Amino acid sequence: MSTARAGHASAPGSIGRYGLVLLGGLILCAMLAAGALAAIFWADPLLTVRSRPAKADVIVVLGGDGPARADHAAGLWLEGRAPTVLVSGDGDCFSIRYQMMRRGVPRSAIQVECLSGSTWQNALYSAPYLERLDVRRAVMVTNWFHSRRAVGSFAAICPHIRWMSAVVEPPDSFWRTVFGPYGVAILKEYPKLLWYRLRFFPANTAWAGTGACSDMEPRT
């Protein structure tokens, strides 16, 4: 009888421990969710580079979010921001060119670099094109949350070029950003930017006065 009573007496304590574990898990999930929302909310000031509109020698369009970037870059070309477009990226370089041509950009104005598989390679493999075009001012087109890493990469490879950023802007609703395809991409961008800062940045300032892009080994 005493053993049965002891078993019954211990049950509330077990339930209490399980309740604390459950409560702790819920609190942890809430903190992670709040952190993710904060990271997405602060993506604009922390991850984004914007520049005032100005004339340039070339519009550089990075692959990835192809349709949105192609449409934005085509609009810039039609406004007369630059006479030439360089599309960089191995996944959708030709589809971006095609979409821009449908918007009215002539094929002769679009060059493509279709070997790069990362942002760093975008910059590295675009460098010969930029040198052949004798570029001194360039407009970067990518999504807002990717712009700081993209501009930093190209500035590290070609520091003599003045880099301007004309970003694809976020959706008009914060919650559309959170629950759409951009939400996860933004969260991934923070560690990517940190890794680039540690491995590739700051810019190789020794090349800044040479008028040439640096000859660096491909790194992913």
Side-chain angles (χ1 to χ4, degrees):
M1 183 67 69
S2 60
T3 304
R5 288 199 204 95
H8 286 299
S10 63
S14 300
I15 294 173
R17 286 194 295 272
Y18 293 144
L20 289 175
V21 170
L22 178 60
L23 178 61
L26 292 174
I27 292 174
L28 178 60
C29 290
M31 291 175 63
L32 291 174
L37 291 174
I40 295 172
F41 179 82
W42 288 101
D44 198 89
L46 295 178
L47 302 178
T48 307
V49 175
R50 292 185 182 86
S51 305
R52 293 180 179 179
K55 296 284 187 178
D57 301 311
V58 67
I59 299 167
V60 179
V61 190
L62 302 188
D65 188 13
R69 297 177 188 182
D71 185 68
H72 189 50
L76 295 175
W77 189 92
L78 293 171
E79 291 172 6
R81 289 285 295 275
T84 305
V85 178
L86 173 60
V87 181
S88 176
D90 66 350
D92 50 5
C93 56
F94 293 118
S95 64
I96 289 176
R97 181 175 67 181
Y98 175 73
Q99 291 170 56
M100 294 186 68
M101 290 169 59
R102 292 191 64 184
R103 281 286 312 275
V105 182
R107 181 175 181 143
S108 59
I110 307 172
Q111 299 192 29
V112 292
E113 177 283 299
C114 299
L115 296 177
S116 54
S118 68
T119 303
W120 183 254
Q121 288 182 354
N122 287 145
L124 188 67
Y125 297 158
S126 295
Y129 294 84
L130 299 172
E131 289 195 330
R132 285 197 296 269
L133 293 169
D134 194 26
V135 171
R136 291 295 176 268
R137 296 160 63 92
V139 178
M140 176 71 62
V141 173
T142 187
N143 294 87
W144 79 101
F145 60 87
H146 180 233
S147 58
R148 188 172 300 278
R149 184 161 59 98
V151 171
S153 297
F154 276 77
I157 297 292
C158 297
H160 67 289
I161 296 176
R162 179 188 171 190
W163 290 99
M164 295 171 282
S165 178
V167 301
V168 175
E169 296 290 350
D172 54 8
S173 165
F174 174 72
W175 295 111
R176 283 182 61 193
T177 302
V178 171
F179 295 110
Y182 294 132
V184 174
I186 291 171
L187 297 178
K188 291 180 178 179
E189 185 63 25
Y190 284 96
K192 289 179 180 180
L193 179 60
L194 177 60
W195 175 243
Y196 270 53
R197 285 191 179 278
L198 294 174
R199 190 174 187 190
F200 302 126
F201 303 165
N204 186 359
T205 54
W207 287 85
T210 66
C213 298
S214 56
D215 183 16
M216 304 178 81
E217 291 297 321
R219 291 180 287 183
T220 58

